Every structure is written in structure tokens, then in C-alpha cells.
Amino acid sequence: HRCAQCRLCRSCKFAMPMSAPETLVTARTAESEEVDQHPSSEVNPCDEAKAAPTRCAVTLKIKYVTNPGEYLLVCGSISELGNWDVSHAKRMRWSDGHVWTAELSVNSDSEFEYKYVACVGQPPSHRWEQGYNRKVVPAGKTELSFQDVWESVRVRFSIYYPVKPNH
């Protein structure tokens, strides 16, 4: 059985208040599969879950020693980071120890890429950090924090090396 509205498994049915056995109506689809129909008087909890996407608070930090008048931006593939347009990028905050911080709120189901940009002057001249784009995949999380190193990308991998048994 699947919910006719959300097409998910019966988990949505069990999340609904089940005060009477007639809370759900069973119907057959064109594929002759039984689905559960939410009565129009009831609120479908699956609809509520779809209505408000979950947000993820992302904190980006990088240690970078600037020259007088220089500042950092973070620019990336989402509107919160300027859609790769440096004139709309997010300006970072400096703190003791030469740590620059940017905080943003993004949809927890959308991944994005970003880079740091060093700027100086008005209008600003800018220098993009070299190397690959950094990538964030929130994957449903509500909070993420990254401590990056200028022009350095962390790569994670594993190696499978089977050992031959001794005969």
C-alpha cells in the first residue's frame, strides 16, 4: 500500500491520528495497486512535510592573513553566495587569529559549490582562490560547519586491497 497523495509507504498513515478505523479509504490505481486515500477533512502529514523545506545553517571559516584594506568574500553556485557573480558574493567577517567567517541558511536538500575571493580597493580588484570548487551536500542536516584552508581541498577516499590467503 502507498499513500495516493505522496506516493510514499504507509508511514504517513501511521503518523495521522487514528481515532476511527475509517480514517483512511483504500482505492485501486490504474496499475491495480492498492493506495491509501487521505479523507479531505484530514490533514495529510506528508503535505505538511513538503510545504516547508528544511533549512540548514552553514558556517564557513577560513584562516587567511590579509593586507590592510583587504577583505574576503565567499562566492558560489547558489543565490545566497551570488550565483558565481562576485559583485553579489557574501562578505566574510574577520575575527582574531585572522579567521574569516560567513554564515548562511540554505535548503537542506540542495547541494552547492563555493570558492573564496580576496578583494581590495574600490571598485574592488579580486583574486579567486586557486584549485577545485569546494562542495557542500547538506543531505537533510540542519547545521554544518567547515574550517577551510586557502587553496587547499580535503579529499576523502578509501582503498580496498584484498589480501591473498596463505596456502
Side-chain angles (χ1 to χ4, degrees):
H1 292 285
R2 291 189 298 174
C3 168
Q5 291 182 24
C6 67
R7 308 300 290 172
L8 297 174
C9 68
R10 285 184 156 204
S11 62
C12 62
K13 173 178 130 179
F14 299 114
M16 292 177 60
M18 299 293 286
S19 57
E22 55 273 358
T23 304
L24 294 175
V25 179
T26 300
R28 291 204 176 269
T29 64
E31 302 94 30
S32 72
E33 167 189 8
E34 286 189 7
V35 295
D36 294 326
Q37 306 249 335
H38 295 279
S40 58
S41 62
E42 294 286 335
V43 174
N44 181 350
C46 299
D47 290 340
E48 288 179 356
K50 286 186 249 177
T54 307
R55 302 295 290 175
C56 179
V58 178
T59 303
L60 304 174
K61 291 184 178 186
I62 189 165
K63 185 172 184 173
Y64 184 83
V65 179
T66 55
N67 295 315
E70 194 175 23
Y71 57 93
L72 290 186
L73 303 173
V74 59
C75 192
S77 63
I78 56 175
S79 60
E80 292 88 340
L81 297 176
N83 290 318
W84 294 116
D85 179 353
V86 74
S87 64
H88 293 98
K90 180 139 180 104
R91 189 166 180 156
M92 301 184 79
R93 273 187 347 269
W94 181 89
S95 62
D96 290 337
H98 302 286
V99 176
W100 292 84
T101 304
E103 296 169 344
L104 54 143
S105 177
V106 301
N107 285 336
S108 64
D109 61 349
S110 60
E111 56 189 55
F112 64 94
E113 295 182 352
Y114 67 97
K115 279 191 170 205
Y116 295 104
V117 184
C119 299
V120 66
Q122 283 299 347
S125 63
H126 53 271
R127 182 174 73 87
W128 287 80
E129 134 182 80
Q130 298 295 304
Y132 295 107
N133 295 342
R134 300 170 190 278
K135 187 172 188 174
V136 175
V137 182
K141 293 183 175 63
T142 57
E143 189 173 326
L144 290 171
S145 183
F146 297 91
Q147 180 71 49
D148 294 323
V149 176
W150 182 264
E151 296 183 341
S152 175
V153 177
R154 179 181 296 170
V155 178
R156 299 172 99 186
F157 63 93
S158 62
I159 298 174
Y160 174 70
Y161 186 74
V163 178
K164 294 181 182 179
N166 293 336
H167 293 286

